[in-house]
Amino acid sequence: MDFLHFIAQLKIAVDNDIPGERSHRKMQVNYNKSFKLPFSKNNSTPAAVLILLYLEDNEIHFFLTKRSNELEHHKGQISLPGGTQEENEKLIDTALRETQEEIGINKTSISIIGSMTPLFVPVTGFMINPFIGYSLNKLEPTPDPLEVEAIFSVNISDLLNEANQTIEQRNIRGYDVKVPYFKLNNYEVWGATSMILSEFRDLIKSINEK
């Protein structure tokens, strides 16, 4: 599919019928009801992330990062570029600023397509607001070593490939839980990031079905 045509179709889909929580649930960690969750939506911290689409070798890609082990939250995990909202800052500006800070992509080169369903993370208390953007430039990301250990690119065809989705039993904080995850570029993408990508994947599927 032509990149700009895909972007136009994605914008229509985002504006009209985002899948929402039913997509999130597909990749939700199934924990025991006795699992003590320290935060609620009432005391959540606003945050934003960005799915940044770009064309490489006639294929559509986006970036994921491996978070530094020096960070306070979600250390070592696979994430979309993003972070916590600053005072008097719009959430879309949070996503753009954090993308520039974390992976070195100038925010002026990014156009925003729209937003998806906010996702509350009860383990850390963040209310994550996902945005989708794109760039027509040749992108050369540079990681901020304090926050990002590595940056890698994902082809959306790999996200759509059902063979790259699996589930396994893990022990988290002393609890046995079932963890769904995507296997993307040999990285296991689970938790909040996989739930956000699940909604993005369903959006793409809705376009492809038309």
Side-chain angles (χ1 to χ4, degrees):
M1 181 185 293
D2 175 78
F3 185 45
L4 289 179
H5 179 67
F6 173 78
I7 296 300
Q9 293 296 105
L10 190 57
K11 182 170 178 55
I12 293 170
V14 167
D15 289 344
N16 288 281
D17 187 28
I18 54 176
E21 292 182 1
R22 69 178 184 269
S23 292
H24 292 167
R25 285 193 292 270
K26 295 176 183 178
M27 300 302 290
Q28 187 173 17
V29 174
N30 295 310
Y31 53 84
N32 188 291
K33 295 300 181 184
S34 63
F35 195 99
K36 296 290 189 294
L37 298 172
F39 296 94
S40 68
K41 290 182 180 180
N42 294 331
N43 61 357
S44 61
T45 301
V49 297
L50 181 66
I51 298 174
L52 175 55
L53 304 175
Y54 66 99
L55 200 63
E56 184 176 292
D57 298 328
N58 292 317
E59 298 281 350
I60 302 170
H61 294 73
F62 62 92
F63 294 113
L64 289 175
T65 70
K66 183 177 182 183
R67 293 169 62 84
S68 165
N69 284 315
E70 304 304 314
L71 295 173
E72 180 180 358
H73 299 294
H74 304 291
K75 58 182 63 179
Q77 291 186 14
I78 306 303
S79 300
L80 290 156
T84 307
Q85 183 182 33
E86 294 184 347
E87 189 175 358
N88 299 321
E89 183 179 51
K90 294 180 180 178
L91 283 163
I92 178 56
D93 293 325
T94 301
L96 290 168
R97 172 182 56 77
E98 288 283 352
T99 297
Q100 180 167 317
E101 289 176 2
E102 289 187 358
I103 66 173
I105 303 298
N106 194 312
K107 59 186 180 183
T108 62
S109 70
I110 300 171
S111 300
I112 295 299
I113 297 168
S115 60
M116 297 192 299
T117 307
L119 174 66
F120 175 61
V121 185
V123 176
T124 52
F126 290 106
M127 180 67 77
I128 303 176
N129 295 265
F131 292 87
I132 309 172
Y134 72 96
S135 179
L136 299 177
N137 295 4
K138 180 177 174 57
L139 301 182
E140 297 179 353
T142 305
D144 174 358
L146 295 177
E147 297 191 52
V148 177
E149 182 178 315
I151 303 171
F152 63 100
S153 177
V154 177
N155 189 322
I156 62 168
S157 63
D158 290 334
L159 179 63
L160 291 170
N161 186 347
E162 297 290 344
N164 290 330
Q165 180 181 342
T166 188
I167 187 169
E168 69 180 21
Q169 193 85 11
R170 294 184 185 175
N171 188 282
I172 299 178
R173 300 189 181 189
Y175 292 87
D176 290 326
V177 294
K178 291 182 179 179
V179 179
Y181 64 89
F182 295 117
K183 191 79 169 182
L184 300 172
N185 283 23
N186 295 317
Y187 289 97
E188 294 181 2
V189 184
W190 63 285
T193 302
S194 70
M195 294 170 74
I196 292 167
L197 291 180
S198 178
E199 184 176 29
F200 179 55
R201 183 175 68 167
D202 285 346
L203 270 175
I204 300 171
K205 286 181 177 180
S206 73
I207 294 171
N208 292 343
E209 289 168 357
K210 292 179 181 178

